[in-house]
Amino acid sequence: MKILVTGAAGFIGMHTILRLLARGDTVVGIDNLNDYYDVRLKEARLARLVPHPAFHFYKQDIVDREGMAQLFLREKPQRVIHLAAQAGVRYSLSNPHAYIDANIQGFMNILEGCRHNEVEHLAYASSSSVYGGNTALPFHEHQNIDHPVSLYAATKKANELMAHTYSHLFRLPTTGLRFFTVYGPWGRPDMALFLFTKAILGGELIDVFNHGKMVRDFTYVDDIVEGVIRVVDKPADSDAAFDSANPDPATSNAPYRVFNIGNNQPTPLMEYINALEEALGMEAKKNFLPMQAGDVPATAANTRELESWVGFKPNTKVRQGVANFVAWYLEHYGVVSPR
């Protein structure tokens, strides 16, 4: 197939495209290469993709309405994997307009491109953050998500609502994928694992929020990619059992679905840090701090719906995933192993 992947130079985008190319798909990748974090890392990811003859890259901003319309018209992708977004909960506190531009206006342009060019299926990145103030763990797709606690989360919920509208009005199959704390090689520098690794190797303090009393469903990037590809291969359809008198948030009488993609193995933050210390052979100097605004104390994914739909659930152990990240980090940045 010809598949359009947005956020091609991103963490999940690069890994997804490598898998698609390896199985023989043609991939059109776009990315605006913004400076939210080190552009050199994005360029290094892209350098792994560009030599492949079945990969075609455009430096393109999804917010550019006319540019996106022209790209869809020119390339006519059969399916779309939409991963581009303004990420980060804390950044949204000081830069709210970036989230409205990229995550709302940008997503609108993706939906319109799909609508007008007969795209067979749109799979897009949502987030575990949509569960917001919900504390009933593990989170599942049938729960209410009306209480976001960050603007980032609100924009991701808005994406799901916008997608449903297009599925209903135009019968565009859409599937939202609620990612749970993705980590692994080539990860983002603003994520905890990257920040912690850099600080520990530099002999600096690591900031441990909520005094370490945090739990996350850390999900390895290869598991995320496997879920994304299996989902894009199976377009959403309408649920024959959908009851409009008692509507289920997870399904619809339109061709619409949402799924959690999480490891289903919630891990205390201190255990995560311990896995990193073990992989590095160094002990972290910890700076314990209160909870940050917009954050939540715990996440955990119920993945039964995903497993039922595509026959897969993430299963990479945190210690193995962290060790893989550390091996990549040391090699990529030319750091001599402290062991």
Side-chain angles (χ1 to χ4, degrees):
M1 291 185 290
K2 178 186 274 192
I3 301 177
L4 171 65
V5 180
T6 70
F11 170 36
I12 301 171
M14 180 207 74
H15 284 284
T16 300
I17 291 169
L18 286 172
R19 283 284 304 279
L20 293 171
L21 293 172
R23 75 174 194 174
D25 291 316
T26 295
V27 179
V28 177
I30 68 170
D31 202 294
N32 67 358
L33 297 173
N34 67 32
D35 61 358
Y36 170 62
Y37 61 79
D38 189 359
V39 176
R40 292 171 298 178
L41 179 58
K42 298 181 180 183
E43 292 171 340
R45 294 184 188 127
L46 200 56
R48 303 185 70 203
L49 306 175
V50 169
H52 200 290
F55 177 69
H56 310 284
F57 178 71
Y58 294 87
K59 186 177 180 182
Q60 173 73 49
D61 195 327
I62 60 171
V63 179
D64 177 2
R65 179 177 171 183
E66 183 58 32
M68 288 303 298
Q70 289 300 317
L71 185 142
F72 269 94
L73 191 63
R74 180 169 56 249
E75 292 292 344
K76 293 287 187 182
Q78 292 165 268
R79 300 188 183 182
V80 175
I81 299 174
H82 177 52
L83 302 172
Q86 178 56 62
V89 169
R90 284 172 284 283
Y91 190 71
S92 69
L93 301 181
S94 54
N95 298 273
H97 291 94
Y99 291 77
I100 301 303
D101 293 343
N103 299 2
I104 303 297
Q105 182 59 55
F107 192 60
M108 181 77 242
N109 294 336
I110 296 296
L111 288 169
E112 279 289 279
C114 292
R115 168 195 174 190
H116 290 293
N117 293 278
E118 300 180 347
V119 167
E120 299 169 355
H121 189 202
L122 166 63
Y124 61 94
S126 186
S127 167
S128 62
S129 68
V130 299
Y131 291 103
N134 185 353
T135 58
L137 299 175
F139 298 142
H140 59 78
E141 299 89 339
H142 308 283
Q143 290 173 327
N144 179 286
I145 57 167
D146 283 344
H147 300 90
V149 296
S150 70
L151 183 63
Y152 170 68
T155 63
K156 287 299 185 177
K157 176 181 177 179
N159 287 172
E160 294 182 4
L161 297 173
M162 294 163 72
H164 184 273
T165 303
Y166 270 63
S167 294
H168 171 74
L169 291 175
F170 309 113
R171 310 309 294 178
L172 169 67
T174 67
T175 304
L177 303 167
R178 294 173 179 171
F179 296 157
F180 279 70
T181 317
V182 189
Y183 74 102
W186 296 93
R188 288 188 356 230
D190 62 321
M191 296 291 284
L193 186 57
F194 200 112
L195 292 169
F196 289 170
T197 300
K198 184 177 180 181
I200 292 169
L201 288 170
E204 301 171 359
L205 291 168
I206 65 170
D207 289 337
V208 182
F209 293 100
N210 202 31
H211 304 284
K213 297 175 183 176
M214 306 275 276
V215 175
R216 289 290 182 270
D217 209 340
F218 298 104
T219 311
Y220 191 61
V221 66
D222 287 357
D223 289 335
I224 291 287
V225 170
E226 183 68 27
V228 168
I229 291 177
R230 290 197 187 204
V231 163
V232 82
D233 283 348
K234 186 175 181 179
D237 59 17
S238 57
D239 182 2
F242 184 78
D243 180 4
S244 59
N246 186 29
D248 180 352
T251 65
S252 176
N253 52 15
Y256 166 90
R257 287 289 192 279
V258 290
F259 296 109
N260 291 337
I261 300 188
N263 206 35
N264 200 20
Q265 299 177 44
T267 303
L269 178 58
M270 297 308 295
E271 185 177 322
Y272 191 61
I273 293 171
N274 178 256
L276 177 57
E277 292 171 324
E278 183 180 281
L280 285 170
M282 299 176 68
E283 186 175 349
K285 301 173 183 176
K286 303 171 187 72
N287 179 33
F288 291 98
L289 296 168
M291 177 84 83
Q292 288 186 298
D295 214 341
V296 296
T299 66
N302 179 321
T303 58
R304 285 197 298 266
E305 295 295 343
L306 177 70
E307 187 175 6
S308 175
W309 186 250
V310 296
F312 170 76
K313 64 178 181 179
N315 55 22
T316 303
K317 301 298 184 185
V318 164
R319 288 190 180 275
Q320 182 59 58
V322 169
N324 293 348
F325 172 83
V326 168
W328 166 79
Y329 186 98
L330 296 176
E331 179 182 0
H332 183 74
Y333 289 101
V335 180
V336 177
S337 175
R339 286 189 178 278

